[in-house]
Amino acid sequence: MLKARNLEAGYGPLRVLKGLSLHVAPGEIVAIIGANGAGKSTLLGSLAGLVRPTSGSVTLRGEDVTGSRPERMLAAGCSLVPEGRKLFAPMTVRENLELGGYSVRRRLGRKAFEEDLAGVFELFPRLGERQGQLAGTMSGGEQQMLAIGRSLMSRPELIMLDEPSMGLAPLVIKQIFSAISALRSRGKTVLVVEQNAKAILKIASRGYVMETGSLVLEGTGQELLANRDVQRAYLGKEYSSIADEREGR
Amino acid sequence: MRAELFLQYLVSGLIYGSIYAAVAIGFNIIYNATGIINFAQGEFAMLGGMIASSLASRLPLALAMAAAVAATTLVGIGMERAFLRRIARGGVLKMIIATIGLSIAIREIALLIWGESVRTLPFFSGTEVSSVGIAGAHFSPQVFWVLGVTALVVAALTAFFKLTLIGKAMRGCSANREGASLCGIDPDLMVTLAFGLSAAIGAIAGCAVAPLTQTHYAIGTGLGIKGFTVAAFGGLGNSLAAVGAGLILGMLESFSIIVVPEAYKDVVSIVVLLAVLFAKPSGIFGSRAAGALKDY
């Protein structure tokens, strides 16, 4: 589905991505975990067309899309749910979703849009109940649902999510993660950047660990959950307790 | 005060108020799309009136005005594409200063084309001497044209922004540019549209008022100041508030004649502008809660 090769990007003289490569196969949920400032958001930004890579290549279903603008990436079937959600706060839930379907509606007409809208309300019934509410006045969890719903409206094959659990209560995080699992059962491919390593690795088919602009580790969700370095750095366990578990104490 | 005199002042306030409101709405559309104040806004009104008055001798009035509005729209679009877009990365302040420069350039070009002579447009219906009497006061039919046209412009704009996909996309773009980009909306196109729309509205206002007030290469400056006053008074970015604020300012100006000589009419709006900027920069209708939801 998606392949990035030797991707480099940055802001001015600052190099944030230092030549990293990754791939996402159709139907996978791929997680990228890593500390603050590792460059995770820049990575997604450069895949979605918000940040122009300085070198390297990105291909989507075999087509070279390196440095394409967001409109083109969207048309190619790749949509980003950005960090901080970037909703249209003074507009209603319904209007936000309408703009999510902006390109689909212009291409395929109103009927396709209504179908997509019904699909989003099926996944997030809460949004259906609150169609007339202003997006900016909703709770964090509802806003995240709306951001995912807005992205779905563009009929993406690959959905990229940037820190979907940020700032949310544990119970709400659970809902969001089960929605991400539901995306896969709807035939979507998911690439997700997350601080909440434990929760995301449980549902991910594969994961990468990112450190200062490079991907340093790759494995299935289970492998990474069992990895000692990952446990220590991202799952908040001490070496001693890891050693204890290994020895069956 | 005699009733018909009161009515006379009232209607004159309404007319000027609605013209100021139309210019203010132009300010707001561009402000919402880009975050800048376009100081060439008054020039759009001047161009509308001047171009229409030149064409009116050769074309039917309605056609002359349509052509004037179209030409002014192109000027607005051209201004954004040729100049403002190129310096957009330099920040809002640079763009605002560029609009001041552009307004001077447009005015000087108008002076070269049309000279210093005062021009006018024929009345939309009837002539200078025809009048409609209401309760003992007499009004030119053009009065009703101005009010009707402004009301129509406001209604059409509201429908455009609330009901059409493009209108919603423009609102989305001003609420969150990056979010709009990620929805496949081209923000640059929305900015161009905003300039076109705002130039068209300015030109319509300029055409509607020209028969009553006459037009001249330099009227843009005054209209721009009044329009900006109204936009700030109502709360920048809020077009419906601009209508209310426009009518209030029009009334204040028109009734000020009772207390101060007519020559001081323009002072009223400057005083209002200063008072608003000092006391309530968010405008009288600007609410903090709604403002907090805006991203810029």
Side-chain angles (χ1 to χ4, degrees):
Chain A
M1 167 84 39
L2 178 83
K3 263 200 184 101
R5 256 197 207 138
N6 296 322
L7 206 58
E8 291 192 17
Y11 308 94
L14 187 70
R15 265 171 80 227
V16 181
L17 303 183
K18 297 167 183 166
L20 57 78
S21 303
L22 67 87
H23 69 278
V24 181
E28 277 191 312
I29 294 183
V30 174
I32 298 172
I33 59 174
N36 269 335
K40 300 183 304 272
S41 294
T42 307
L43 172 59
L44 287 197
S46 63
L47 295 176
L50 290 176
V51 180
R52 237 188 135 79
T54 46
S55 75
S57 70
V58 181
T59 54
L60 195 62
R61 280 176 299 171
E63 188 192 349
D64 184 22
V65 290
T66 317
S68 297
R69 285 163 57 99
E71 298 99 87
R72 165 108 195 279
M73 293 306 292
L74 205 68
C78 167
S79 168
L80 171 66
V81 181
E83 184 177 12
R85 302 167 198 127
K86 304 267 171 4
L87 292 173
F88 308 121
M91 299 174 75
T92 66
V93 167
R94 195 186 160 91
E95 285 173 332
N96 269 272
L97 293 172
E98 277 179 61
L99 290 184
Y102 179 78
S103 47
V104 171
R105 188 153 152 191
R106 295 189 77 186
R107 223 172 40 238
L108 303 174
R110 196 177 181 95
K111 197 161 165 275
F113 159 76
E114 296 287 349
E115 282 169 24
D116 293 350
L117 197 64
V120 169
F121 290 158
E122 194 190 321
L123 183 63
F124 298 118
R126 181 72 64 87
L127 297 182
E129 295 158 16
R130 308 232 165 157
Q131 288 185 49
Q133 190 174 343
L134 296 186
T137 64
M138 297 202 301
S139 74
E142 290 163 346
Q143 291 195 10
Q144 189 59 52
M145 291 176 195
L146 180 56
I148 297 174
R150 185 178 70 177
S151 149
L152 277 175
M153 291 297 292
S154 67
R155 300 195 169 181
E157 290 180 35
L158 170 68
I159 298 187
M160 304 192 291
L161 300 114
D162 197 347
E163 304 276 5
S165 76
M166 187 144 69
L168 302 182
L171 200 65
V172 184
I173 294 180
K174 238 179 167 171
Q175 290 176 353
I176 297 294
F177 277 59
S178 74
I180 294 174
S181 299
L183 291 178
R184 169 151 66 173
S185 54
R186 290 183 167 215
K188 307 289 184 195
T189 306
V190 180
L191 176 62
V192 53
V193 153
E194 197 33 86
Q195 297 251 12
N196 192 338
K198 195 171 176 183
I200 195 65
L201 288 176
K202 274 186 187 160
I203 62 167
S205 18
R206 247 168 1 97
Y208 292 93
V209 177
M210 189 162 183
E211 259 169 32
T212 56
S214 315
L215 297 175
V216 293
L217 203 60
E218 184 198 343
T220 66
Q222 290 311 314
E223 280 167 7
L224 290 180
L225 274 175
N227 183 292
R228 291 215 302 180
D229 293 328
V230 173
Q231 288 187 343
R232 186 182 58 83
Y234 305 109
L235 303 178
K237 291 191 183 172
E238 294 300 327
Y239 263 132
S240 59
S241 73
I242 296 169
D244 286 352
E245 275 176 31
R246 293 209 152 198
E247 285 158 30
R249 271 183 245 162
Chain B
M1 196 195 322
R2 294 210 318 279
E4 59 268 27
L5 198 60
F6 176 82
L7 210 57
Q8 208 73 262
Y9 286 152
L10 184 78
V11 169
S12 142
L14 278 178
I15 294 177
Y16 282 99
S18 58
I19 293 301
Y20 299 160
V23 178
I25 288 172
F27 272 108
N28 284 335
I29 291 173
I30 289 179
Y31 176 77
N32 282 341
T34 61
I36 71 165
I37 307 294
N38 169 31
F39 281 105
Q41 195 62 40
E43 262 52 55
F44 293 151
M46 178 274 288
L47 282 178
M50 294 300 268
I51 296 174
S53 77
S54 293
L55 295 176
S57 53
R58 269 157 268 169
L59 294 172
L61 183 60
L63 212 60
M65 288 193 296
V69 171
T72 310
T73 305
L74 289 181
V75 170
I77 290 174
M79 185 172 131
E80 192 270 326
R81 288 252 149 154
F83 300 101
L84 298 175
R85 170 165 305 185
R86 290 169 201 282
I87 56 169
R89 292 202 184 282
V92 168
L93 192 62
K94 261 191 195 168
M95 289 169 80
I96 293 176
I97 291 170
T99 66
I100 298 176
L102 284 166
S103 80
I104 297 171
I106 293 174
R107 208 177 311 137
E108 292 304 312
I109 292 169
L111 177 62
L112 284 177
I113 298 175
W114 289 291
E116 287 186 31
S117 63
V118 171
R119 286 156 181 266
T120 186
L121 263 185
F123 281 58
F124 293 4
S125 58
T127 62
E128 296 92 285
V129 289
S130 53
S131 70
V132 182
I134 296 173
H138 293 275
F139 307 106
S140 154
Q142 190 66 24
V143 164
F144 301 99
W145 277 107
V146 171
L147 296 180
V149 165
T150 321
L152 203 68
V153 164
V154 172
L157 264 186
T158 310
F160 172 74
F161 281 118
K162 290 268 174 200
L163 302 177
T164 69
L165 192 61
I166 287 283
K168 288 176 195 169
M170 284 178 75
R171 279 167 61 213
C173 209
S174 71
N176 195 316
R177 204 179 158 93
E178 197 169 292
S181 245
L182 289 171
C183 289
I185 298 164
D186 179 0
D188 291 344
L189 180 67
M190 296 300 135
V191 170
T192 306
L193 274 179
F195 271 84
L197 199 58
S198 148
I201 291 167
I204 292 173
C207 287
V209 78
L212 285 176
T213 62
Q214 302 183 314
T215 183
H216 180 243
Y217 81 97
I219 61 154
T221 315
L223 277 177
I225 292 172
K226 302 290 173 64
F228 177 64
T229 304
V230 167
F233 190 24
L236 267 177
N238 185 342
S239 288
L240 279 179
V243 175
L247 295 181
I248 293 174
L249 186 71
M251 297 294 174
L252 282 177
E253 274 193 8
S254 135
F255 283 99
S256 71
I257 293 174
I258 301 168
V259 268
V260 293
E262 203 196 334
Y264 287 92
K265 209 168 123 181
D266 288 345
V267 175
V268 174
S269 68
I270 302 290
V271 168
V272 168
L273 178 60
L274 289 177
V276 168
L277 291 182
F278 277 120
K280 201 161 186 307
S282 57
I284 45 168
F285 298 113
S287 82
R288 216 163 280 272
L293 291 180
K294 286 187 181 158
D295 209 48
Y296 41 85

